[in-house]
Amino acid sequence: MSGFLKLLFRNRLAAVGAVIIGLICLVALATPLLPRADPDVPATADRFQRPFRPGHLLGTDHLGRDLASRLLWGTRLSLAVGVAAALIAGTIGSTIGIVAGYFGGRIDNVIMRGVDMLMAFPYILLALAIVAALGPGLMNALIAVAAVNIPFFARNIRGVTVGLAGREFIDAARLAGKGHTRIILTELLPNVASMIVIAMSTTAGWMILETAGLSFLGLGSQPPVADLGSMLGEARAALITSPHTSVVPGVMIFLIVMSINLLGDGVRNALDPRLRSGALTRPRAVTLVERRGAIPAADQKGLLNIQDLETQFHVGDRVYRAVNAVSLHVNPGEALGIIAESGSGKSVTALSVMGLVASPPGVITGGAVRYEGEDLLAATYRSLREKRGDKVAYIFQDPLSTLHPLFRVGDQLTEAIQAHHKEPDDAARARAVELLKAVRIPNAESRIRNYPHQMSGGMRQRVGIAMALANDPEVIIADEPTTALDVTVQAQILSLLDDLRRERGLAIIFITHDFDVVAQLCERVAVMYAGKIVEEGPTGAILAQPAHPYTRRLMACLPELGGGKRRLAAIPGLPPVVSDLPPGCAFAPRCDKATAACRAGEIPFDGDAAHRVHCLHPEFAPMEVLA
Amino acid sequence: MGAYILKRLISAVPVLLGITVIVFLIMSMIPGAPATATAILGSYATPENVEKLDRDRGLDKPLVTRYFIWLGNMLTGDFGRSFSLNRPVLDEILDRFNATLVLAGVAFVLCTLLGILAGVVSAARQNGFADKAFTFVVLIGISVPSFFLGMMMILTFAVNLRLLPVSGMDAIYGGGDLPDLPRYLVMPALALAVVATGVIARLSRSAMLEVLRQDYIRTARAKGVDERRVIMGHALRAAMVSIIPVLGIQAGFALSGSVYIEIVFQWPGIGRMLVDAILKRDILLVQGGVVFVAAAYVFFNIAVEVAQSLLDPRIKT
Ligand code: SF4
């Protein structure tokens, strides 16, 4: 609770709201003690005095009554009525909600039907109908506003209760022979109470506004007693000649409602975990680049050349080093595999290339990414955008979430084409059909009108591939494009990519956690662990002779080629949380060859240019096949 | 699509019936039959008239019978006769509803456009100047009572600056020309739209932020789609799925909030009619007006659902 309050008050606006409404409440409570003129006694001689006259700080109204005094009493009345309405609506509505949620079934059904009916009314209309039946008057306005808000509470509290009613402690109480009433009062209520209080406090402002509104219409408090609404209503006749009589109560209503709104927002934000985790910040169009060290000099390796790349996530004051001094390159017509468990930074490496890491929280803090020698990390947005999809294209994992759910796949394809080529719509459309055929989608002409949810996983994945091929790129970065697919579809897609590599001279970076796939497609492979490359070399050599203990373990988990499920999780321990990497080798805690030296300093990259390994005690022993 | 609309219309029947039941029950809270007769007849409540009314409307019959008589009458277009206006309730409602529709309709269009625009700009420039400015204005907007805002607008723009007429809708009812209408409409429509604009802006902002985190936005960027198009095309389209239902709710608020605005600006709409009727205790007029507006809102919500199904192909039609 105190943590919650701290969070609430860190939000300065919420604190301002709390202070204002607190002050207003204090003054309202103290009003009877203040030495002010009677608010309801007319003094016709003093009509419409301007503010700041002696004796009348805020002036007087159309009957010569002291406005300041009327304001105090009116505020008191408005607050009391609003709070009372909130309490009544909250109590009755929550009771209905708890009963509906706890008993469920038919009772729930009937009650919620009724609630839906009530909610079908435009809000104030229902209140007007109730006042019409009961007759104007403050008490009746209060009843009307409370009644109209009951469905709101009923629905919200029911939702919470339904979630709780299925939990074990309720079942336990039932088994213990407790009656329904006791369960509701002793088990359920304490758990929903905080929800009820929050709902009441956030709607109180609304109810104050509504009762003031009814009074304004002349349907609430009746003269001579006035709440803020009826003060405003009475002052309306003299709006043009004596505006201050309107401004005074109007501003007060505004202050009350605003401070309650501020407080309510603060409460909601303090309770919303997404705000704290930064899940509600907008990712920039390009990942933020803040390189600290020197930019590595260009070397002539590869068409796409990643040099000492460092990408981090900054969440609050924690830093997650997702990618740590990674260097990779790929040549035209070559397929490079990156293999690792999930959470090792392989996807982040891939996304960093074209500045697609969500930022915030992602920041590229070092290294270079060179495409044909040009450093993409220093490129303008324009130049990067022109290369995205045109020179370097991506195939993403899970095409259900990576294709736009509301656009037809044909439109998404033509958009990819037209982003780079000023083709007329029908030409682009024809090309889209051609692309779908190229990835062997049957009935491409009609499939093009499908939405993603109307296709199977394999079909969607092919659409994703077709989209990557749309502009005949030089490099394709495929991030686990086959993980979600069954083995036959996977094989088809792999051979498709392989054909393209050979026919078009495409360079492919293929990210996976699956040696099987790498063996089929890639000449070279890099193994990543905890944001670093631990071993890199020709696929054949590494498959035959894994040098890094981690690679060996990865492969040990792999059943014979073409076999069933892969069991990567079988490696004991988990990849380290990249926020606090131990010094030395990150794999040491899981490595059975680890020595004190491994945990001490930096581990150098060893070996020749073709096959390098990041380990103090590499093993060139032939692979043991664990059955 | 036709079948879907028909299905929605059929599913509205129980809701409409529920509305009549609720209104009927509320109105039967009026204590005692004599009071009811007075409420219907007003100063015409002579003993003979009361007796005749009892017979016609079945006021001496049990509650359930009375409900069905009332419902049957309404279905044939007989909403009764208003004593205070001495004219059929339905005629009055239809006249007044037109005026309200103009006001609430324009306000609805305003709050939709302005709200979504502000929300999108806020999200696109999150934590930038525009975002902070909008957030502040929205906070004020949703906290100011519309009736007070309307009064302050009159004071500023009509009285002090003399830019706009103080009140009324003379263009239609005072013999003026239609081109005059906008001048009369500006202030009430704005005053009515402010709160809803704020709510829609807030929601649009958070919906956009939510959507901009999605994988398919990254896909669009990876394709090389221009950022402007990413936001206005891809993100907004997806955000609309969560914005549209709120538009329906806000339309309800605009419809009922027009009660205050019609009073402040002397707009000859149905809200003002209702308030006058309540003050005069003209119960048939209130009853008819409430049922009529609530029914209109139900149909509007069906339109919202249909719009939603057009936007989102995943909804089964
Ligand atoms: S450096 Fe040491 S701890 Fe790390 S993998 Fe090699 S042997 Fe194991």
Side-chain angles (χ1 to χ4, degrees):
Chain A
M1 192 64 199
S2 74
F4 167 76
L5 283 180
K6 234 186 255 161
L7 212 60
L8 184 61
F9 277 87
R10 201 176 302 158
N11 181 339
R12 246 174 295 146
L13 285 175
V16 169
V19 169
I20 297 179
I21 192 68
L23 281 178
I24 293 176
C25 286
L26 266 183
V27 172
L29 284 176
T31 299
L33 307 174
L34 298 177
R36 302 271 353 163
D38 188 311
D40 299 331
V41 175
T44 3
D46 290 340
R47 296 178 62 210
F48 293 127
Q49 296 265 349
R50 299 270 152 189
F52 308 118
R53 292 287 160 78
H56 299 296
L57 182 64
L58 296 175
T60 59
D61 72 355
H62 60 291
L63 294 177
R65 296 171 294 194
D66 180 48
L67 259 185
S69 172
R70 281 180 76 71
L71 178 72
L72 289 173
W73 285 94
T75 306
R76 195 175 145 87
L77 194 55
S78 275
L79 282 177
V81 170
V83 171
L87 283 176
I88 295 174
T91 311
I92 300 180
S94 306
T95 309
I96 294 176
I98 290 177
V99 167
Y102 175 76
F103 289 103
R106 276 177 78 96
I107 299 180
D108 184 28
N109 224 321
V110 170
I111 292 181
M112 291 324 284
R113 272 288 161 92
V115 166
D116 284 344
M117 299 283 176
L118 285 172
M119 287 188 126
F121 278 91
Y123 194 72
I124 301 167
L125 214 60
L126 200 54
L128 284 182
I130 295 173
V131 172
L134 300 179
L138 190 57
M139 212 44 212
N140 294 341
L142 190 160
I143 294 173
V145 169
V148 168
N149 278 290
I150 287 176
F152 166 80
F153 282 95
R155 180 175 280 192
N156 279 358
I157 300 302
R158 174 196 169 264
V160 184
T161 311
V162 165
L164 287 171
R167 298 265 287 278
E168 311 77 44
F169 66 93
I170 300 289
D171 287 339
R174 241 180 238 147
L175 286 178
K178 286 192 186 172
H180 290 314
T181 329
R182 260 193 70 197
I183 296 180
I184 290 179
L185 288 180
T186 59
E187 305 287 339
L188 265 178
L189 197 58
N191 281 295
V192 290
S194 63
M195 274 296 301
I196 298 177
V197 170
I198 288 172
M200 275 198 224
S201 57
T202 47
T203 46
W206 187 231
M207 296 196 213
I208 291 173
L209 190 60
E210 286 316 316
T211 30
L214 289 177
S215 290
F216 173 78
L217 297 175
L219 306 177
S221 76
Q222 302 295 317
V225 175
D227 70 350
L228 294 171
S230 55
M231 279 177 76
L232 195 57
E234 286 169 20
R236 199 167 66 84
L239 173 64
I240 294 170
T241 50
S242 302
H244 69 279
T245 52
S246 302
V247 171
V248 167
V251 167
M252 181 53 95
I253 302 178
F254 167 68
L255 279 179
I256 293 175
V257 177
M258 187 190 65
S259 53
I260 294 181
N261 278 343
L262 281 174
L263 199 57
D265 290 351
V267 170
R268 225 170 311 133
N269 290 350
L271 291 177
D272 191 342
R274 289 177 310 172
L275 272 175
R276 265 175 288 167
S277 68
L280 284 183
T281 45
R282 174 199 175 212
R284 305 150 48 100
V286 179
T287 311
L288 186 66
V289 178
E290 275 176 1
R291 285 185 282 198
R292 286 165 197 160
I295 299 169
D299 50 20
Q300 296 309 312
K301 274 198 268 178
L303 173 65
L304 183 69
N305 187 12
I306 301 170
Q307 300 171 290
D308 289 330
L309 181 71
E310 260 178 39
T311 305
Q312 306 181 338
F313 292 106
H314 295 176
V315 180
D317 34 52
R318 300 188 64 152
V319 173
Y320 297 82
R321 301 159 171 278
V323 179
N324 226 335
V326 164
S327 296
L328 288 169
H329 64 94
V330 64
N331 291 307
E334 186 189 33
L336 166 73
I338 300 180
I339 191 159
E341 292 166 275
S342 45
S344 57
K346 55 194 196 301
S347 297
V348 181
T349 308
L351 292 173
S352 300
V353 170
M354 283 285 141
L356 291 170
V357 179
S359 166
V363 187
I364 296 176
T365 48
V369 176
R370 295 186 193 277
Y371 177 80
E372 287 182 328
E374 181 195 349
D375 183 8
L376 297 181
L377 298 186
T380 59
Y381 168 69
R382 209 190 135 91
S383 135
L384 199 61
R385 184 193 78 70
E386 280 167 0
K387 288 190 183 65
R388 282 176 175 179
D390 196 30
K391 304 289 182 207
V392 180
Y394 284 87
I395 304 172
F396 294 108
Q397 190 183 359
D398 186 13
L400 187 58
S401 67
T402 53
L403 291 176
H404 199 297
L406 305 182
F407 290 118
R408 297 178 196 278
V409 295
D411 294 339
Q412 303 194 42
L413 279 168
T414 43
E415 186 186 35
I417 297 165
Q418 288 172 331
H420 300 288
H421 301 97
K422 295 243 166 301
E423 275 188 45
D425 285 351
D426 46 349
R429 182 151 294 268
R431 170 104 178 98
V433 173
E434 217 176 276
L435 283 165
L436 288 187
K437 283 181 179 157
V439 293
R440 289 163 214 162
I441 288 184
N443 308 325
E445 286 87 354
S446 62
R447 280 297 190 177
I448 204 159
R449 295 191 48 76
N450 278 168
Y451 289 98
H453 73 277
Q454 294 168 324
M455 305 181 114
S456 67
M459 286 298 154
R460 278 196 296 263
Q461 191 56 272
R462 286 165 207 235
V463 172
I465 296 174
M467 208 142 80
L469 299 175
N471 294 298
D472 209 351
E474 309 297 320
V475 182
I476 280 189
I477 300 178
D479 187 356
E480 308 225 24
T482 57
T483 311
L485 305 181
D486 68 64
V487 184
T488 38
V489 183
Q490 177 180 323
Q492 285 178 358
I493 286 177
L494 288 180
S495 76
L496 182 75
L497 283 173
D498 202 40
D499 291 351
L500 289 167
R501 178 178 67 83
R502 265 179 278 146
E503 288 161 17
R504 301 191 186 184
L506 188 67
I508 299 177
I509 296 182
F510 200 95
I511 299 168
T512 177
H513 58 251
D514 188 343
F515 262 108
D516 207 353
V517 171
V518 167
Q520 287 178 45
L521 190 69
C522 307
E523 295 90 356
R524 256 187 328 120
V525 61
V527 184
M528 266 186 92
Y529 186 79
K532 282 191 174 153
I533 294 189
V534 292
E535 182 168 9
E536 186 193 350
T539 310
I542 289 185
L543 277 180
Q545 267 195 328
H548 197 281
Y550 176 63
T551 316
R552 189 179 60 86
R553 292 273 282 282
L554 261 186
M555 288 171 62
C557 296
L558 180 78
E560 309 83 79
L561 288 186
K565 276 253 169 287
R566 286 139 202 91
R567 292 171 291 132
L568 274 184
I571 302 184
L574 289 168
V577 182
V578 278
S579 68
D580 42 14
L581 281 180
C585 176
F587 188 57
R590 297 164 79 188
C591 180
D592 43 22
K593 304 180 81 176
T595 57
C598 299
R599 297 192 173 86
E602 276 294 302
I603 314 291
F605 227 154
D606 242 356
D608 52 38
H611 189 169
R612 301 187 302 163
V613 62
H614 214 99
C615 174
L616 287 181
H617 313 290
E619 41 195 317
F620 271 106
M623 184 182 149
E624 303 157 52
V625 178
L626 307 179
Chain B
M1 185 44 66
Y4 178 70
I5 296 176
L6 193 69
K7 221 165 66 192
R8 306 281 10 137
L9 285 176
I10 291 172
S11 73
V13 172
V15 180
L16 289 171
L17 283 178
I19 283 173
T20 58
V21 171
I22 290 170
V23 172
F24 181 78
L25 286 179
I26 292 175
M27 290 309 160
S28 60
M29 289 194 303
I30 300 173
T36 312
T38 323
I40 293 175
L41 292 169
S43 51
Y44 300 92
T46 59
E48 305 90 81
N49 279 347
V50 169
E51 197 189 316
K52 181 171 179 301
L53 182 88
D54 279 357
R55 247 181 295 120
D56 288 356
R57 303 250 149 205
L59 288 185
D60 48 356
K61 303 251 168 53
L63 201 68
V64 179
T65 323
R66 247 156 56 206
Y67 168 72
F68 281 108
I69 294 177
W70 177 62
L71 187 67
N73 285 344
M74 272 200 304
L75 287 178
T76 58
D78 174 13
F79 281 61
R81 201 175 171 83
S82 152
F83 77 78
S84 64
L85 301 165
N86 196 19
R87 88 183 276 216
V89 166
L90 189 60
D91 293 4
E92 178 71 7
I93 289 176
L94 289 176
D95 280 355
R96 297 298 200 107
F97 191 64
N98 268 337
T100 297
L101 218 50
V102 169
L103 174 62
V106 170
F108 177 68
V109 171
L110 274 179
C111 69
T112 304
L113 293 180
L114 295 178
I116 293 178
L117 188 73
V120 169
V121 172
S122 269
R125 302 254 176 281
Q126 195 191 10
N127 298 329
F129 174 74
D131 184 24
K132 291 199 172 123
F134 279 139
T135 308
F136 184 71
V137 172
V138 161
L139 176 71
I140 306 272
I142 59 175
S143 305
V144 133
S146 62
F147 39 95
F148 179 55
L149 181 68
M151 288 164 69
M152 291 303 108
M153 282 170 122
I154 292 180
L155 208 54
T156 315
F157 298 107
V159 178
N160 289 336
L161 299 176
R162 295 185 183 282
L163 286 175
L164 294 163
V166 171
S167 63
M169 188 186 173
D170 278 3
I172 285 179
Y173 283 81
D177 294 324
L178 198 60
D180 262 359
L181 182 62
R183 287 175 20 85
Y184 286 91
L185 198 52
V186 172
M187 286 199 295
L190 273 178
L192 183 53
V194 161
V195 176
T197 307
V199 175
I200 293 171
R202 273 186 169 199
L203 180 93
S204 309
R205 177 178 184 272
S206 63
M208 285 293 286
L209 289 176
E210 186 103 33
V211 163
L212 279 167
R213 286 262 141 194
Q214 299 297 315
D215 287 348
Y216 49 80
I217 296 299
R218 189 184 61 199
T219 307
R221 287 175 173 160
K223 284 196 289 194
V225 174
D226 191 66
E227 187 65 11
R228 179 178 302 253
R229 197 180 153 111
V230 168
I231 288 179
M232 299 309 291
H234 292 246
L236 181 56
R237 175 84 173 247
M240 282 308 283
V241 171
S242 36
I243 296 175
I244 283 185
V246 173
L247 294 184
I249 296 171
Q250 288 307 312
F253 281 107
L255 206 54
S256 48
S258 66
V259 175
Y260 302 126
I261 300 300
E262 287 173 9
I263 295 282
V264 170
F265 289 94
Q266 312 278 323
W267 193 267
I270 204 160
R272 215 173 109 210
M273 178 199 91
L274 283 174
V275 174
D276 289 346
I278 293 172
L279 291 173
K280 288 181 188 141
R281 312 283 290 143
D282 188 343
I283 228 64
L284 285 184
L285 198 53
V286 177
Q287 218 172 19
V290 169
V291 168
F292 190 89
V293 176
Y297 182 52
V298 169
F299 287 111
F300 179 82
N301 269 328
I302 293 177
V304 169
E305 280 183 48
V306 171
Q308 182 80 325
S309 77
L310 287 176
L311 176 81
D312 189 345
R314 290 166 300 183
I315 294 177
K316 291 219 169 54
T317 57

